[in-house]
Amino acid sequence: MSHTAHIPSHRKPRRSASKVSLRAGVAGGVLSTIALAGAAAPAIAAQPVNETIEMPTLSGDLATTAAATVQATKAVAADLQLQAAQDAAASTAAKDAKKAKDDAEQKAAEAKAKAEAEAQAKEKAAAAERASRSAERTTLKAASASTGATSFKASNATGSAAAIVNFALAQVGKAYVSGATGSSAYDCSGLVQAAYRQIGVDLPRVSQDQSATGTDVSLSNLQPGDVLYWGGKGSAYHVAIYVGGGNFVGAQNPSSGVVERSLDYDAPSGAVRIL
């Protein structure tokens, strides 16, 4: 190869001076622009804002759908709260009703047990009373049927008084029935009236009037056939017949019937003599 031949260089070709100058000018212009903008920024910021930038709004259909969704969510939440409150109220009411029912059933069972116990106690008492009454009547009948007892009573009474006493003793053991005048049952004044009817004396029907008939007699000076009374004279609530020996015969009450008792058993308030 000739020494004068052109050998290509491996170096990059140097940029031309014009291009370098152009680039420098552009860069300088950009920097200048930035500097001017920075200097002008405070002045711009100091100016009042006369315009408002509006945010983009949802379209009509989308806004309506969103509002409906919110309302539906609120409605569902309200329904759930209402249902929860109703369920709680129903549960409380059911518990209260069950408790009230249990209490009522327990009280009813207790009342029934108490009533049954009382009924049994009353039945036992009634049975004991009937047995006692039966034994008492048997004893009284046996005593009145005894010859010795009858003669003792009769020996203290004569004439009409004996008839009254014997009639009264014969009624011992019969039943007491309010308003009854014989012959299977008596009340107190009914027995006295029936006894005096044996001798043809018609006494008033009730104890108040019988206690006001005849002559007052001291309890220490009684004679067979005298009428005993309990309560005030003219307002007596009970009467009987004195049969002698410190005893009287009277229709006492539904439990005792017609009995013979000692004056000490129930001392009378006073006495009247009719014979």
Side-chain angles (χ1 to χ4, degrees):
M1 177 178 295
S2 174
H3 64 278
T4 60
H6 178 73
I7 301 174
S9 176
H10 292 286
R11 289 182 176 179
K12 291 183 178 180
R14 297 174 64 92
R15 295 174 178 173
S16 64
S18 59
K19 291 182 178 181
V20 172
S21 298
L22 178 61
R23 290 175 181 270
V26 171
V30 170
L31 293 174
S32 298
T33 301
I34 293 173
L36 290 173
I44 294 172
Q47 294 179 359
V49 178
N50 297 323
E51 295 182 359
T52 301
I53 300 175
E54 298 290 341
M55 295 297 293
T57 59
L58 297 174
S59 64
D61 293 341
L62 184 57
T64 302
T65 302
T69 300
V70 171
Q71 293 298 327
T73 302
K74 291 181 177 179
V76 170
D79 289 342
L80 290 176
Q81 290 178 350
L82 177 60
Q83 184 62 45
Q86 291 175 344
D87 291 343
S91 177
T92 301
K95 291 179 180 178
D96 292 342
K98 184 177 184 302
K99 185 176 183 301
K101 180 182 178 182
D102 293 342
D103 291 344
E105 290 178 349
Q106 181 178 357
K107 289 181 179 179
E110 292 175 353
K112 182 179 179 182
K114 182 178 179 181
E116 290 178 351
E118 290 178 350
Q120 291 177 357
K122 287 182 179 179
E123 180 59 28
K124 289 180 180 179
E129 178 66 21
R130 288 193 296 268
S132 176
R133 193 186 314 161
S134 177
E136 182 179 13
R137 287 177 179 174
T138 301
T139 301
L140 290 172
K141 286 181 179 180
S144 63
S146 170
T147 304
T150 302
S151 62
F152 173 78
K153 300 295 184 183
S155 66
N156 290 282
T158 59
S160 296
I164 294 171
V165 169
N166 289 335
F167 176 85
L169 290 171
Q171 310 313 306
V172 171
K174 291 186 177 180
Y176 175 99
V177 176
S178 179
T181 58
S183 61
S184 60
Y186 300 90
D187 63 9
C188 65
S189 57
L191 175 63
V192 172
Q193 186 185 53
Y196 271 82
R197 189 176 290 128
Q198 305 305 307
I199 62 171
V201 176
D202 191 11
L203 292 182
R205 173 64 185 87
V206 296
S207 59
Q208 293 89 340
D209 294 336
Q210 289 178 2
S211 67
T213 301
T215 304
D216 290 340
V217 178
S218 170
L219 296 179
S220 62
N221 192 32
L222 293 174
Q223 293 180 5
D226 287 345
V227 176
L228 307 177
Y229 63 84
W230 285 256
K233 181 178 176 64
S235 60
Y237 60 84
H238 183 65
V239 290
I241 298 173
Y242 181 68
V243 294
N247 292 342
F248 67 87
V249 171
Q252 293 298 97
N253 52 57
S255 297
S256 301
V258 179
V259 295
E260 181 180 2
R261 290 282 190 266
S262 168
L263 292 175
D264 296 334
Y265 172 81
D266 186 10
S269 305
V272 292
R273 184 167 296 158
I274 299 173
L275 298 178

mmCIF file of all heavy atoms in Angstrom, residues 14-24:
data_model
loop_
_atom_site.group_PDB
_atom_site.id
_atom_site.type_symbol
_atom_site.label_atom_id
_atom_site.label_comp_id
_atom_site.label_asym_id
_atom_site.label_seq_id
_atom_site.Cartn_x
_atom_site.Cartn_y
_atom_site.Cartn_z
ATOM 1 N N ARG A 14 -15.139 13.991 15.324
ATOM 2 C CA ARG A 14 -15.408 15.095 16.232
ATOM 3 C C ARG A 14 -16.615 15.833 15.749
ATOM 4 O O ARG A 14 -16.861 16.007 14.591
ATOM 5 C CB ARG A 14 -14.198 16.050 16.278
ATOM 6 C CG ARG A 14 -12.909 15.389 16.821
ATOM 7 C CD ARG A 14 -11.758 16.377 16.691
ATOM 8 N NE ARG A 14 -11.952 17.538 17.487
ATOM 9 C CZ ARG A 14 -11.485 17.632 18.735
ATOM 10 N NH1 ARG A 14 -10.828 16.652 19.282
ATOM 11 N NH2 ARG A 14 -11.713 18.726 19.408
ATOM 12 N N ARG A 15 -17.445 16.203 16.769
ATOM 13 C CA ARG A 15 -18.631 16.953 16.419
ATOM 14 C C ARG A 15 -18.186 18.330 15.937
ATOM 15 O O ARG A 15 -17.264 18.931 16.425
ATOM 16 C CB ARG A 15 -19.571 17.087 17.616
ATOM 17 C CG ARG A 15 -20.115 15.733 18.061
ATOM 18 C CD ARG A 15 -20.895 15.931 19.305
ATOM 19 N NE ARG A 15 -21.459 14.646 19.732
ATOM 20 C CZ ARG A 15 -22.086 14.438 20.863
ATOM 21 N NH1 ARG A 15 -22.252 15.478 21.677
ATOM 22 N NH2 ARG A 15 -22.546 13.240 21.165
ATOM 23 N N SER A 16 -19.026 18.787 15.079
ATOM 24 C CA SER A 16 -18.686 20.096 14.530
ATOM 25 C C SER A 16 -18.958 21.158 15.545
ATOM 26 O O SER A 16 -19.764 21.007 16.447
ATOM 27 C CB SER A 16 -19.521 20.374 13.270
ATOM 28 O OG SER A 16 -20.910 20.446 13.609
ATOM 29 N N ALA A 17 -18.292 22.229 15.471
ATOM 30 C CA ALA A 17 -18.409 23.336 16.416
ATOM 31 C C ALA A 17 -19.767 23.938 16.392
ATOM 32 O O ALA A 17 -20.304 24.372 17.401
ATOM 33 C CB ALA A 17 -17.343 24.422 16.070
ATOM 34 N N SER A 18 -20.424 23.870 15.233
ATOM 35 C CA SER A 18 -21.760 24.478 15.131
ATOM 36 C C SER A 18 -22.768 23.692 15.942
ATOM 37 O O SER A 18 -23.635 24.239 16.615
ATOM 38 C CB SER A 18 -22.210 24.567 13.676
ATOM 39 O OG SER A 18 -22.241 23.259 13.101
ATOM 40 N N LYS A 19 -22.648 22.397 15.902
ATOM 41 C CA LYS A 19 -23.585 21.557 16.671
ATOM 42 C C LYS A 19 -23.375 21.729 18.153
ATOM 43 O O LYS A 19 -24.310 21.776 18.935
ATOM 44 C CB LYS A 19 -23.423 20.089 16.298
ATOM 45 C CG LYS A 19 -23.896 19.775 14.901
ATOM 46 C CD LYS A 19 -23.765 18.301 14.596
ATOM 47 C CE LYS A 19 -24.291 17.971 13.200
ATOM 48 N NZ LYS A 19 -24.183 16.549 12.895
ATOM 49 N N VAL A 20 -22.153 21.828 18.601
ATOM 50 C CA VAL A 20 -21.872 22.024 20.010
ATOM 51 C C VAL A 20 -22.417 23.337 20.463
ATOM 52 O O VAL A 20 -23.019 23.467 21.524
ATOM 53 C CB VAL A 20 -20.367 21.948 20.271
ATOM 54 C CG1 VAL A 20 -20.033 22.349 21.705
ATOM 55 C CG2 VAL A 20 -19.863 20.552 19.978
ATOM 56 N N SER A 21 -22.281 24.316 19.670
ATOM 57 C CA SER A 21 -22.801 25.643 20.040
ATOM 58 C C SER A 21 -24.298 25.641 20.131
ATOM 59 O O SER A 21 -24.908 26.246 21.013
ATOM 60 C CB SER A 21 -22.334 26.678 19.014
ATOM 61 O OG SER A 21 -20.931 26.770 19.002
ATOM 62 N N LEU A 22 -24.924 24.884 19.194
ATOM 63 C CA LEU A 22 -26.387 24.816 19.198
ATOM 64 C C LEU A 22 -26.905 24.150 20.455
ATOM 65 O O LEU A 22 -27.838 24.612 21.123
ATOM 66 C CB LEU A 22 -26.885 24.049 17.958
ATOM 67 C CG LEU A 22 -28.412 23.855 17.845
ATOM 68 C CD1 LEU A 22 -29.085 25.220 17.787
ATOM 69 C CD2 LEU A 22 -28.728 23.032 16.598
ATOM 70 N N ARG A 23 -26.247 23.068 20.834
ATOM 71 C CA ARG A 23 -26.658 22.368 22.040
ATOM 72 C C ARG A 23 -26.463 23.247 23.254
ATOM 73 O O ARG A 23 -27.285 23.284 24.175
ATOM 74 C CB ARG A 23 -25.856 21.073 22.226
ATOM 75 C CG ARG A 23 -26.222 19.992 21.197
ATOM 76 C CD ARG A 23 -25.310 18.790 21.375
ATOM 77 N NE ARG A 23 -25.632 17.782 20.393
ATOM 78 C CZ ARG A 23 -26.504 16.805 20.551
ATOM 79 N NH1 ARG A 23 -27.105 16.715 21.702
ATOM 80 N NH2 ARG A 23 -26.737 15.942 19.578
ATOM 81 N N ALA A 24 -25.396 23.940 23.353
ATOM 82 C CA ALA A 24 -25.138 24.825 24.482
ATOM 83 C C ALA A 24 -26.167 25.908 24.551
ATOM 84 O O ALA A 24 -26.642 26.283 25.613
ATOM 85 C CB ALA A 24 -23.719 25.412 24.353
#
